[in-house]
Amino acid sequence: MLTPHATSEFGTLTRVAMRYASDTTRAVDGPDVHPVLTRQKTTSTWSRYSPATVRVQQDNLIGVLRGRGTEVLLLEDAPGCAVQHYPRDIAFVIDHLLVMARLNAEHRRPEADALLRLAGDAEYLVHLEAGTIEGGDVALHDGSVLVGLGEETSAEGAKALQTALTRRGVDREVRPVEFNVDGIVHLDDHFAIVAPATALFHRAVFPPVQLRWFEQHFDLIDVTDAEARAVQANVLALAPSTVVVAAGSDRIAAQLAARGLEVLTVDYSEVTRIPGSLRCSTLPLNRA
């Protein structure tokens, strides 16, 4: 029994699901590249990576997590799935519910099978009825759920999430987050809540009304265009005062440390050759 529980993005992480990178890789260039990927390449860097090196870097992160007392649950392989090492997208926990994503990319749908086998028909499992929504677009904030409306998540999916939460008695407002540019992969490449009322924030991709809302609710650490393309906003909070960042994120790390946070660093340079990093490669199941 998974018994999921998470009420924030930064509660002490006690159990997380991960999956090692597959030897299958996805073509990122050429005439057959999907139009969604073509748009995403305008906001993110896509290049071929070594799956073996990615797995080594994942092991380094696993070592950090286990060293801090986090149980790491390794999901079974999803044959033929090129980005299976990003399990954040296949599901997300809201309070006591494990919500299964409605993935936009058909080739990724087998990634959810291993998690479903673990969950079975548990009463905490939620399947949405419409639209698309992926975990990289979902962030918990106080009594709300922020949902980014980029390439992979639709307004219909956000509405379906609100309907499902209401039916299950979860008193949270699903708040859509708009972007002012096309090609956004996921919200967590441009916005990440790292501690109570503190967030990393790529200002350039949000419209003015969204900017004002963020400024009213968070102490914002601005992320530059170059840092966003390097996926440096995609960090992982281990506890209210501890954040894991990718090596090379020196300016961001300094800003976090200046706010009294403990900053842990891992080399994730091979993982970030496509737009995902620490948050993408971890699916929190339990946060204190």
Side-chain angles (χ1 to χ4, degrees):
M1 187 70 75
L2 294 178
T3 59
H5 177 81
T7 59
S8 74
E9 294 295 315
F10 47 76
T12 300
L13 185 61
T14 57
R15 196 179 198 196
V16 65
M18 295 181 65
R19 180 190 275 123
Y20 283 119
S22 166
D23 284 326
T24 301
T25 57
R26 183 183 182 188
V28 296
D29 294 297
D32 297 327
V33 168
H34 195 280
V36 170
L37 176 54
T38 299
R39 291 194 295 273
Q40 290 175 347
K41 289 173 73 173
T42 66
T43 62
S44 303
T45 299
W46 290 78
S47 60
R48 297 299 294 268
Y49 59 89
S50 162
T53 305
V54 169
R55 290 191 288 266
V56 170
Q57 294 182 347
Q58 288 183 279
D59 273 331
N60 292 336
L61 176 59
I62 290 169
V64 169
L65 294 173
R66 288 175 172 163
R68 292 301 177 111
T70 301
E71 179 187 355
V72 179
L73 174 64
L74 292 172
L75 298 176
E76 297 172 6
D77 189 55
C81 292
V83 290
Q84 67 172 27
H85 55 292
Y86 292 154
R88 173 77 66 156
D89 299 331
I90 66 174
F92 44 92
V93 175
I94 299 177
D95 297 347
H96 61 283
L97 301 176
L98 177 64
V99 183
M100 299 304 299
R102 286 175 63 91
L103 294 166
N104 185 40
E106 184 175 351
H107 68 271
R108 295 197 64 188
R109 292 172 188 168
E111 295 177 35
D113 292 347
L115 191 60
L116 285 171
R117 283 193 291 272
L118 289 173
D121 295 322
E123 62 180 15
Y124 57 73
L125 193 64
V126 175
H127 294 276
L128 304 180
E129 297 178 352
T132 60
I133 188 167
E134 299 187 0
D137 282 316
V138 177
L140 304 180
H141 172 61
D142 291 343
S144 64
V145 182
L146 307 182
V147 177
L149 302 183
E151 294 285 348
E152 309 294 355
T153 294
S154 67
E156 189 179 15
K159 183 178 179 180
L161 176 61
Q162 181 70 82
T163 298
L165 295 180
T166 301
R167 285 176 178 169
R168 292 297 192 102
V170 174
D171 185 19
R172 284 183 181 265
E173 175 194 8
V174 174
R175 185 178 182 88
V177 176
E178 302 278 356
F179 300 98
N180 64 2
V181 297
D182 294 329
I184 298 296
V185 180
H186 287 128
L187 176 65
D188 60 10
D189 291 337
H190 303 273
F191 171 81
I193 302 171
V194 295
T198 303
L200 299 177
F201 181 67
H202 182 208
R203 187 175 299 272
V205 300
F206 297 101
V209 65
Q210 191 65 63
L211 290 174
R212 289 192 292 273
W213 189 88
F214 280 129
E215 289 169 344
Q216 292 167 2
H217 290 83
F218 296 96
D219 172 19
L220 295 172
I221 300 172
D222 277 271
V223 173
T224 68
D225 291 347
E227 289 167 339
R229 288 191 71 87
V231 213
Q232 292 181 5
N234 197 286
V235 302
L236 176 64
L238 291 190
S241 60
T242 305
V243 183
V244 186
V245 305
S249 310
D250 298 343
R251 193 196 65 82
I252 289 173
Q255 290 288 318
L256 294 170
R259 287 163 171 78
L261 300 178
E262 178 188 18
V263 180
L264 308 177
T265 302
V266 297
D267 180 7
Y268 240 42
S269 55
E270 196 70 16
V271 182
T272 58
R273 287 184 179 274
I274 59 176
S277 189
L278 296 151
R279 191 177 192 272
C280 294
S281 63
T282 51
L283 168 55
L285 298 173
N286 298 89
R287 285 189 182 273

